[in-house]
């Protein structure tokens, strides 16, 4: 069995991935940001060089999209670009396979339909730009890698749109949610299963896009989440 290392161990995806591996009786080393700060190159090198993993599931990321625009702009870049570069360089040194989770925000959102994997990237926000820079670092440094772009991630653990809506419904009787952005919500379990599948079944290296079936707007997603709650949900434009 390949030696496995997980970054971002306590995030919503890292936690889901650990649960999946636990269920399957697969051993791994997992680190949160306190145990392995990916921004600190020396720490990353030391951990990865010492453990010599064969597979690294890189779940650590800065994901507060709105804050990445201004107050946390630097942190967004440090984690999503510099941190990813640090992990990729250490992974390449020990000959590990790297699984990097990216985002639909690498695109500009102007397509009427779906984006193919080879569609031109054109991120419009700082989060998308930093995640794309992370992708480019992985491609530049690594021989054995999977870049998996996903969208609207939700799950049992961590922070996500589902928990945000449920929390707001406790303190508000009326919520307004944008109805002009369309995406595909993706369950962390589906994403974790594909990450493990890609490695274990020797899927060809490269860039992949994964979401669950069926698209909706944030408003439609919110209505579904809150269908059993006593709260009114109204559609608004992004403007």
């Amino acid at each position: 069995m390949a030696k496995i290392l997980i970054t971002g161990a306590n995030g919503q995806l890292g936690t889901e991935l650990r649960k999946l591996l636990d269920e399957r009786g697969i051993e791994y080393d997992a680190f949160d940001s306190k145990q392995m700060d990916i921004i600190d190159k020396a720490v990353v090198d030391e951990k990865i060089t010492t453990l010599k993993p064969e597979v690294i599931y890189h779940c650590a990321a800065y994901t507060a999209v709105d804050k990445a625009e201004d107050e946390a702009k630097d942190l967004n870049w440090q984690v999503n670009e510099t941190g990813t570069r640090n992990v990729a360089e250490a992974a390449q040194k020990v000959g590990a396979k790297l699984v990097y989770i990216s985002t639909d925000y690498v695109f500009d959102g102007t397509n009427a339909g779906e984006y193919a994997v080879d569609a031109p990237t054109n991120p419009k926000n700082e989060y998308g730009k930093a995640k794309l820079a992370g992708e480019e670092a992985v491609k530049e440094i690594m021989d054995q890698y999977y870049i998996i772009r996903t969208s609207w991630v939700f799950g049992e653990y961590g922070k996500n749109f589902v928990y945000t809506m449920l929390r707001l419904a406790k303190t508000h009787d009326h919520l307004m949610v944008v109805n002009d952005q369309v995406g595909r919500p993706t369950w962390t379990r589906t994403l974790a299963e594909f990450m493990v599948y890609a490695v274990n079944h020797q899927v060809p290296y490269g860039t992949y896009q994964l979401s669950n079936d069926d698209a909706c707007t944030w408003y439609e997603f919110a209505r579904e989440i809150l269908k059993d709650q006593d709260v009114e949900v109204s559609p608004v434009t992004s403007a």
Side-chain angles (χ1 to χ4, degrees):
M1 191 63 69
K3 279 192 77 175
I4 293 168
L5 186 150
I6 300 169
T7 71
N10 292 337
Q12 65 167 341
L13 180 58
T15 306
E16 187 77 68
L17 181 60
R18 288 191 292 114
K19 182 184 175 187
L20 175 67
L21 296 177
D22 288 342
E23 285 171 9
R24 296 181 181 179
I26 297 169
E27 292 182 5
Y28 55 84
D29 291 293
F31 301 105
D32 63 19
S33 58
K34 291 184 181 72
Q35 297 161 321
M36 185 173 83
D37 180 358
I38 62 168
I39 298 169
D40 190 329
K41 183 172 171 55
V43 168
V44 172
D45 282 346
E46 190 268 328
K47 288 273 193 209
I48 292 175
T49 306
T50 302
L51 290 167
K52 293 186 173 53
E54 293 160 76
V55 179
I56 298 174
Y57 293 110
H58 182 32
C59 302
Y62 183 84
T63 57
V65 177
D66 292 342
K67 287 181 181 174
E69 285 302 299
D70 41 53
E71 64 192 89
K73 189 172 178 178
D74 290 346
L75 183 61
N76 162 56
W77 278 91
Q78 285 167 354
V79 174
N80 292 330
E81 195 276 336
T82 308
T84 298
R85 180 175 290 279
N86 291 341
V87 172
E89 286 176 349
Q92 181 67 12
K93 271 183 210 162
V94 299
K97 297 171 184 170
L98 181 68
V99 182
Y100 169 63
I101 305 304
S102 190
T103 174
D104 57 330
Y105 281 105
V106 300
F107 299 115
D108 56 19
T110 57
N111 257 24
E114 300 174 350
Y115 281 89
V117 128
D118 57 356
T121 53
N122 186 27
K124 292 297 186 189
N125 60 15
E126 290 300 314
Y127 172 69
K129 288 172 186 172
K131 290 297 284 184
L132 180 59
E135 285 190 17
E136 287 164 352
V138 170
K139 288 179 188 173
E140 170 199 325
I141 294 160
M142 297 290 303
D143 296 323
Q144 307 177 90
Y145 67 84
Y146 298 100
I147 293 167
I148 304 173
R149 295 175 182 150
T150 191
S151 60
W152 295 25
V153 178
F154 72 97
E156 187 180 347
Y157 310 104
K159 297 175 184 174
N160 58 57
F161 184 74
V162 175
Y163 286 135
T164 299
M165 289 297 105
L166 291 170
R167 188 182 75 247
L168 289 172
K170 288 177 183 170
T171 54
H172 297 71
D173 51 17
H174 182 211
L175 295 173
M176 293 189 292
V177 184
V178 293
N179 196 37
D180 55 1
Q181 295 177 28
V182 179
R184 283 186 167 164
T186 305
W187 187 27
T188 47
R189 178 74 185 204
T190 307
L191 184 52
E193 285 181 348
F194 180 66
M195 291 162 70
V196 174
Y197 180 90
V199 171
N200 291 353
H201 291 77
Q202 296 172 327
V203 169
Y205 296 122
T207 304
Y208 292 85
Q209 294 179 168
L210 179 98
S211 62
N212 286 116
D213 289 338
D214 299 332
C216 62
T217 66
W218 288 116
Y219 162 70
E220 290 166 335
F221 195 16
R223 278 192 58 186
E224 178 63 24
I225 294 161
L226 300 173
K227 64 185 178 185
D228 298 322
Q229 307 288 321
D230 187 21
V231 59
E232 184 186 352
V233 185
S234 301
V236 290
T237 66
S238 297

